Amino acid sequence: MMNESTAHAARTPLGGSGISVRPVGLGLMGMSQFYGEADPDTSVATIRNAIELGVELFDTSDYYGASSATPGRPVAGFGHNEELLGRALQGRRNRAIVATKFSARPGPGGRSFFDGRPEYVKAACAASLKRLGTDRIDLYYYHRLDPAVPVEDTVGAMADLVAEGKVRAIGLSEVTPEILRRAHAIHPVAALQSEYSLWERGVEAEVLPECRRLGITLVPYSPLGRGMLTGAFGRGTEFGRDDFRSTLPKFQGDNFDHNRQLVDELEEFAASTGNTAGQIALAWLLAQPHDIVPIPGSRRLACISANLAATSVRLSADDVARLGVLFDPARIKGGRYGALNTLPDEPEVTPRTEYHTQGPAVPAAPLDKEHTP
């Protein structure tokens, strides 16, 4: 049965694409990698039940499943997450807005790279359509930039896919305002996906204002701080080797204890309003003066339902300001990623050099081990 608050929630447009969605989506990465093992059949059932609750925007990537939080450990496989979503959407496709991504590719020795060549864009789209079991992708993201290929060339190929009816709208992920402008000049960009939450606010200074100027919807991943902002992790929590958080600075030692104190205050505020800490964190995002569609990830239906209920939480301007001060970036301890999540500063072991326009070919950039949505 559809969540009552979601059923009556205002819809949020995805840029100027003509697509609109209910304002809280579902990130699927954790069903295939980074947060321990997940049962595929259970994941499929969870996605189907999420549809019944009222979730519309489902976020995946062809890369989800191709990596592990611990280098060298077995992985589900490239395309695994898309295949899960494809299974779940059988007989339900018209009830979902499907967002997926391309460019991250696994290479020998556990190394990965980005590929933005126009021919790869089209090949990747065809493969994703097959895995998803659909004839169209609603929102197709360029996952991370390939520095060897001008963004205009990559976006031009994405525009071709729109013209062919294979893609309805295009998006980018983790790019600068300059790249946004250049891409948008080739074809309207509907959405930008970047990390944004109470405790990670790097997009506020330049990226968010540019999205607002261009009419691009922001789709925050990790809007609950990888679970920290829900209050689920108490002091002394230890994350296993297969859990990505075990390598993140915000979750380590004194940083964790300090950040947990801020979450304590968030929980106190939430309790005074009759909501959970996670619902308040999502409501804070939804209260920002911009079109925002957070995509919290969860493998538990109860959490998905609670996240959807955040759409009915109303925060005053004073509440929004108070929470912003509580989680002022200067008060957060620990960066986004640690040394273990970035490949060494050395030449890519499997350089891709076949695409260039002028001058010598440039190897594709290595993929940070975080492989975020």
Side-chain angles (χ1 to χ4, degrees), residues 7 10 39 44 48 64 80 94 107 125 134 138 142 206 213 223 227-228 314 342 369 371:
D39 177 70
V44 168
R48 289 175 175 169
Y64 296 161
H80 178 266
N94 290 335
C125 179
T134 186
D138 298 303
Y142 187 6
E206 298 180 356
R213 189 182 75 81
M228 186 67 161
R314 298 292 176 262
T342 304
K369 289 297 186 188
H371 303 315

Side-chain angles (χ1 to χ4, degrees), residues 294-346:
I295 48 168
S298 182
R299 302 190 303 214
R300 297 174 54 201
L301 197 62
C303 293
I304 295 171
S305 181
N307 292 340
L308 292 177
T311 60
S312 64
V313 175
R314 298 292 176 262
L315 299 177
S316 69
D318 287 345
D319 291 336
V320 173
R322 173 183 173 184
L323 291 166
V325 170
L326 172 61
F327 284 90
D328 185 284
R331 300 190 70 193
I332 307 298
K333 286 194 175 181
R336 286 177 69 188
Y337 305 112
L340 290 177
N341 305 117
T342 304
L343 293 172
D345 293 327
E346 60 185 29

Side-chain angles (χ1 to χ4, degrees), residues 189-209:
V189 175
L192 172 71
Q193 188 169 136
S194 288
E195 184 173 0
Y196 185 37
S197 68
L198 270 171
W199 83 342
E200 178 48 58
R201 294 161 62 184
V203 299
E204 289 184 339
E206 298 180 356
V207 173
L208 192 52

Side-chain angles (χ1 to χ4, degrees), residues 26-30 33 57-64 78-82 85 98-105 114-115 120-129 131-132 137-145 154 158 161 167 169-174 191-195 219-222 295 367 370-373:
L26 179 62
L28 303 179
M29 184 185 73
Q33 66 183 40
L57 179 62
F58 292 88
D59 186 87
T60 182
S61 168
D62 58 8
Y63 196 84
Y64 296 161
F78 187 87
H80 178 266
N81 204 247
E82 288 184 329
L85 181 55
V98 172
T100 191
K101 313 176 192 73
F102 73 91
S103 85
R105 301 182 64 180
F114 304 132
D115 193 340
Y120 179 68
V121 176
K122 296 183 178 183
C125 179
S128 288
L129 287 170
R131 284 188 291 263
L132 290 163
I137 293 167
D138 298 303
L139 177 58
Y140 201 35
Y141 286 105
Y142 187 6
H143 203 161
R144 294 292 189 277
L145 292 185
T154 306
M158 298 171 76
L161 294 172
V167 168
I170 70 169
L172 276 69
S173 180
E174 293 283 2
L192 172 71
Q193 188 169 136
S194 288
E195 184 173 0
V219 179
Y221 69 79
S222 299
I295 48 168
L367 180 64
E370 43 98 359
H371 303 315
T372 47

